[in-house]
Amino acid sequence: MTAKATIPATQGRRARFVVAVLAQLALAQLAGLLGPPGRALAAADAPDFADNGDSVAVVIGNRSYKQTVPVDYAHNDAEAMRSYLVQRLGYRESNVFVLKDATLNEFNQVFGTERNPQSGRLWRSVREGRSNVFVYYSGHGVPDLASRQPFLLPEDGNPNQGESGYLLETLYRNLDLVKRKIGSERQLVVMVDACFTGETGRKGESLLAVSAPGFAPARPKTESGIVRLVATSGATPANWDEANRLGLLTSRFLMGVSGLADAKEQQGDGDGQVQWPELKRYLRREVEDAARRVSGREQVPEIDDAPIVLKASLPVEAVAKGVAAVRDEAAWRRAEQLGTREAFEAYVGTCGEVCAYRPQAMDRLLAGRRRHAAAIDQENWTKFGTQRQYQAYLDSCTEVCAYRSLAEGYLGGADPNGDPRVKTCDALSAGTDDPDRPKGVAGVKYGRIEAATAIEACRGASAAYPSLRRLAYQLGRAYDRADRSKEAFAAYDRAAKAGSTAAMNNLATLYENGQGVKRSQTEAFRLYSQAGEAGNVVALANAARMLEYGNGIPKSEAQAVALYKRAVEGGDVASISKLVPHYATGAYGFPKDLRQGFGLFRQAAEKGDPVAMATMATLIDNGYGRYFPGVSASDMVMRALKRGEIGAASVSATDTAAQKLKPETIRTVQRAIKQADYYPGAVDGRFNPVFVRALDQYAKANEAE
């Protein structure tokens, strides 16, 4: 097992994420002692629209047509809806059937035919009492001049021949059978971003050979329980949202469910839940207003009432900028209404990627004489700051001196920690477990380093203070994060030669793997040992691993065990799993007392280590509960999660380990996370993607607290 050497201990999240995996894999040596697996719970929570582990969706985006003009943004519509269903509603990727430029044969295959409605893939895929269903279509809708029935136009269909299309009436009739199968407690939603006027959406352009009145879209039976969202009712065309490059109904739907429909500015109640009446009200108002504003035409969507509640979520990528623009507009209006300096400062300070009214806000803040003085101050800083003439800038200051503290910091005194360049490097790349890290500096987990920004900051800081070894180490971390191994090696080497044990460990890893330097197992072992003897317990464990497996050096299990024992005494929880098997066999002078070995995990857990907590949970679930009396696996998992991001990584890692959590334990945790309003998915006893994301969010919230 060599994974640990490839991931330096000081690299934060990337290193700690695998620690739980390592512990679990090592414990697989005890598999023969495990008892039989426990029985899964008999039932899950009552289903609702947020429980979509077994839900099914059909998403169709027909852009290209053989016999008529394209629908420009239909593919974008389909991708955006797929993202919403999977990323926000918790549908499984495999349960979202996406069809682009679907033919009539594909319509029949997925929905069934008029004669055989139960032959469709959708009917076969849904589960009774378990599935919600979402059907989405973006493309041309056309009226059949002969039968006066509207139909959806397949990619190979002729808009002038109704028999070449898929009747909307057939769709609803077949979906009615699907609704009966899933049951009254489940929802079936049909969203059609198309019109049935025969127009293309471009003024004066028609799909039909002759002019025809628009037909109102077909309706399902009133008692069927199918919920419809149709782009337009009556004889009006559907419009596009050019800014978001989506159909107008699709765009506003995705913006609404991101929370805009719940906003108080939109007549919502602002409770974080998008009630269906709120969404309906928002869609009718926004679609009508946008259609009039952009095309000068009416578009009134037709939306059924429904007992559906959606949790407001982050917008999907397709509408993220549109949502940000709406929120920016609302924030500016609030600031204007208040009209105070604090309000305008709050607007400037909180607006993000979209900040359309920043110039107006700054004008309000810098009104009159102060605005003139601020402009002069900005010019002076631009002039003197770029030339590093900081005293000249201070001498130029009048009543406005916005960059005083920065200039004074650059001029700065004997303490380099007061230099803004050093502060910036510390803030962007300090190691969370680097003993050289100054007090008051939180440190940055490896996975969260913004490499380009950190490299720029730390390169300047390290050049200014070459004797400050932590800056070279932090520069190495930034290069490492950017996969620039040669530069990382050079920076780590400078820091290691100055005595940084964290840099020694990372430098050894580069030698061991031949990254940025010629591979040398001997040099890697020397550096691991040197750092370990200086107090770096992870380096000590890395040296032990090389001895255990003979990685380029003579193999010695006895010496490896001795180093693992020292690493455990120093607080390296991952090394405990290396010692526990010896408590089972009595090898290498260990007492033959498995309880004492497992006690090491308990002791580490009591000190707050989330890896130990997650490991205890898997041990309990795999037959070792008698060694941890009074402790439940689910309690240990929740305790680990409350330790923040590392806890979430440790719990998630149990899904890929040799010894896994039982489904009933996972269900208990899912219910707890769901009750805390972080998990909208199915209580299915497995680490589904939505659950893993929820674990991470829940843990990060605890970490922040």
Side-chain angles (χ1 to χ4, degrees):
M1 181 169 58
T2 60
K4 195 168 187 177
T6 66
I7 302 177
T10 50
Q11 291 185 355
R13 184 181 181 192
R14 183 169 67 166
R16 293 305 299 272
F17 184 84
V18 299
V19 171
V21 178
L22 295 167
Q24 304 298 331
L25 291 175
L27 287 171
Q29 299 172 40
L30 303 174
L33 301 176
L34 296 180
R39 183 175 59 84
L41 293 178
D45 284 352
D48 56 32
F49 201 68
D51 178 9
N52 288 313
D54 293 307
S55 294
V56 181
V58 177
V59 176
I60 300 176
N62 274 13
R63 180 187 185 279
S64 302
Y65 288 91
K66 291 181 178 178
Q67 302 185 59
T68 190
V69 296
V71 177
D72 291 345
Y73 302 141
H75 286 181
N76 296 355
D77 288 340
E79 283 300 320
M81 289 303 300
R82 182 201 62 78
S83 296
Y84 174 67
L85 291 165
V86 174
Q87 297 172 12
R88 303 295 183 259
L89 287 188
Y91 280 62
R92 299 179 187 177
E93 281 272 5
S94 58
N95 281 359
V96 179
F97 310 145
V98 179
L99 304 176
K100 293 181 180 178
D101 302 333
T103 63
L104 179 59
N105 186 47
E106 288 176 311
F107 272 83
N108 289 330
Q109 287 177 2
V110 74
F111 295 124
T113 64
E114 185 173 2
R115 292 185 177 182
N116 191 358
Q118 296 179 357
S119 64
R121 184 183 181 189
L122 177 60
W123 163 268
R124 297 194 307 271
S125 300
V126 298
R127 302 182 64 179
E128 296 179 18
R130 300 282 296 276
S131 301
N132 293 313
V133 175
F134 201 108
V135 174
Y136 175 84
Y137 174 81
S138 174
H140 284 312
V142 187
D144 179 17
L145 299 179
S147 66
R148 303 188 65 80
Q149 291 291 326
F151 62 91
L152 305 178
L153 187 64
E155 178 265 355
D156 53 352
N158 185 333
N160 294 289
Q161 296 176 355
E163 65 270 19
S164 68
Y166 195 87
L167 284 174
L168 203 56
E169 184 177 0
T170 300
L171 175 67
Y172 287 136
R173 186 185 301 120
N174 291 1
L175 290 180
D176 179 53
L177 296 177
V178 174
K179 180 65 175 74
R180 294 183 192 181
K181 182 177 179 180
I182 63 176
S184 59
E185 296 299 317
R186 288 292 177 170
Q187 300 290 344
L188 194 159
V189 178
V190 180
M191 184 171 173
V192 179
D193 201 348
C195 63
F196 298 89
T197 63
E199 296 185 43
T200 67
R202 302 177 181 89
K203 285 186 177 181
E205 189 175 61
S206 175
L207 299 170
L208 304 174
V210 296
S211 120
F215 301 130
R219 289 177 173 272
K221 297 177 182 178
T222 55
E223 68 274 15
S224 68
I226 295 174
V227 179
R228 297 175 316 134
L229 298 93
V230 183
T232 179
S233 58
T236 57
N239 292 274
W240 297 324
D241 178 352
E242 297 284 354
N244 288 321
R245 301 178 67 82
L246 298 169
L248 182 56
L249 176 67
T250 302
S251 167
R252 294 306 185 263
F253 173 86
L254 293 172
M255 293 171 73
V257 295
S258 74
L260 293 187
D262 179 55
K264 292 185 177 180
E265 299 92 294
Q266 300 291 344
Q267 300 176 26
D269 58 13
D271 66 351
Q273 303 287 334
V274 179
Q275 308 285 337
W276 197 260
E278 290 178 328
L279 182 62
K280 180 176 180 178
R281 198 162 50 238
Y282 172 83
L283 288 176
R284 288 181 64 91
R285 181 175 61 252
E286 287 296 306
V287 170
E288 287 184 56
D289 290 350
R292 290 195 198 102
R293 186 169 59 251
V294 174
S295 68
R297 298 181 296 185
E298 292 292 322
Q299 179 180 342
V300 182
E302 194 165 282
I303 304 166
D304 293 333
D305 293 324
I308 294 175
V309 179
L310 299 168
K311 183 177 179 181
S313 59
L314 291 174
V316 295
E317 184 177 358
V319 296
K321 287 187 177 179
V323 171
V326 171
R327 288 177 172 157
D328 180 65
E329 175 82 21
W332 172 245
R333 296 305 169 211
R334 286 195 297 270
E336 275 198 316
Q337 288 174 4
L338 292 171
T340 63
R341 171 173 295 278
E342 291 76 15
F344 294 120
E345 287 176 344
Y347 170 78
V348 173
T350 58
C351 64
E353 181 180 357
V354 177
C355 197
Y357 299 93
R358 190 177 190 280
Q360 293 94 315
M362 294 304 295
D363 280 344
R364 300 287 187 92
L365 288 170
L366 302 175
R369 189 178 69 178
R370 185 169 177 80
R371 181 176 66 181
H372 179 66
I376 294 174
D377 180 65
Q378 181 66 51
E379 289 175 5
N380 288 337
W381 175 251
T382 302
K383 174 183 176 181
F384 295 121
T386 55
Q387 298 174 9
R388 300 186 178 181
Q389 297 178 7
Y390 304 118
Q391 188 58 54
Y393 166 75
L394 292 173
D395 293 341
S396 74
C397 283
T398 57
E399 63 179 294
V400 176
C401 195
Y403 301 94
R404 180 186 298 279
S405 60
L406 194 58
E408 289 174 345
Y410 278 122
L411 290 171
D415 181 12
N417 292 324
D419 191 317
R421 292 169 292 183
V422 175
K423 289 182 178 180
T424 302
C425 179
D426 285 342
L428 294 173
S429 193
T432 55
D433 49 3
D434 181 8
D436 292 339
R437 176 169 49 87
K439 292 181 179 179
V441 175
V444 184
K445 292 167 184 170
Y446 178 80
R448 293 185 180 176
I449 293 175
E450 295 290 341
T453 308
I455 288 170
E456 183 179 354
C458 292
R459 190 161 49 197
S462 184
Y465 300 97
S467 62
L468 204 58
R469 67 191 186 192
R470 81 168 186 275
L471 298 177
Y473 166 63
Q474 289 165 191
L475 177 60
R477 292 186 85 218
Y479 279 130
D480 213 345
R481 177 69 173 137
D483 291 325
R484 294 167 61 174
S485 298
K486 288 186 178 180
E487 292 102 323
F489 175 86
Y492 286 148
D493 188 52
R494 289 201 311 273
K497 287 175 179 175
S500 168
T501 60
M504 290 176 200
N505 181 74
N506 289 14
L507 189 64
T509 300
L510 297 181
Y511 271 114
E512 186 176 2
N513 297 309
Q515 296 172 300
V517 66
K518 185 177 180 180
R519 190 179 187 191
S520 174
Q521 305 294 74
T522 302
E523 183 63 10
F525 180 73
R526 184 190 72 79
L527 285 165
Y528 282 140
S529 300
Q530 182 180 349
E533 293 301 325
N536 189 307
V537 294
V538 177
L540 202 64
N542 280 331
R545 174 186 43 73
M546 294 190 75
L547 286 167
E548 179 184 8
Y549 296 103
N551 289 348
I553 60 172
K555 182 177 181 178
S556 175
E557 292 187 11
Q559 291 182 52
V561 170
L563 291 184
Y564 280 132
K565 189 173 182 180
R566 287 176 56 192
V568 170
E569 291 169 352
D572 186 56
V573 175
S575 294
I576 296 174
S577 60
K578 294 291 188 176
L579 304 184
V580 171
H582 305 316
Y583 283 100
T585 62
Y588 299 108
F590 283 80
K592 195 172 182 180
D593 182 358
L594 195 54
R595 184 177 300 278
Q596 187 174 334
F598 284 146
L600 296 175
F601 284 119
R602 180 190 287 275
Q603 293 165 23
E606 289 173 350
K607 292 178 181 178
D609 191 282
V611 177
M613 296 172 189
T615 304
M616 281 178 59
T618 57
L619 287 169
I620 292 168
D621 269 3
N622 285 275
Y624 293 102
R626 62 188 181 280
Y627 295 100
F628 304 102
V631 179
S632 72
S634 57
D635 285 345
M636 293 310 299
V637 170
M638 295 304 297
R639 283 181 59 189
L641 293 174
K642 291 185 183 298
R643 302 303 297 181
E645 185 182 8
I646 295 175
S650 303
V651 172
S652 297
T654 63
D655 188 40
T656 56
Q659 310 211 15
K660 303 178 185 297
L661 294 170
K662 287 182 178 179
E664 53 261 44
T665 297
I666 300 172
R667 286 193 189 96
T668 301
V669 176
Q670 285 176 328
R671 291 190 185 96
I673 304 298
K674 198 180 189 83
Q675 188 173 6
D677 211 22
Y678 284 90
Y679 176 50
V683 181
D684 56 6
R686 67 183 189 89
F687 283 90
N688 63 69
V690 178
F691 180 47
V692 172
R693 286 196 298 271
L695 286 178
D696 196 43
Q697 292 169 356
Y698 177 80
K700 285 178 181 176
N702 278 282
E703 186 173 46
E705 291 170 5

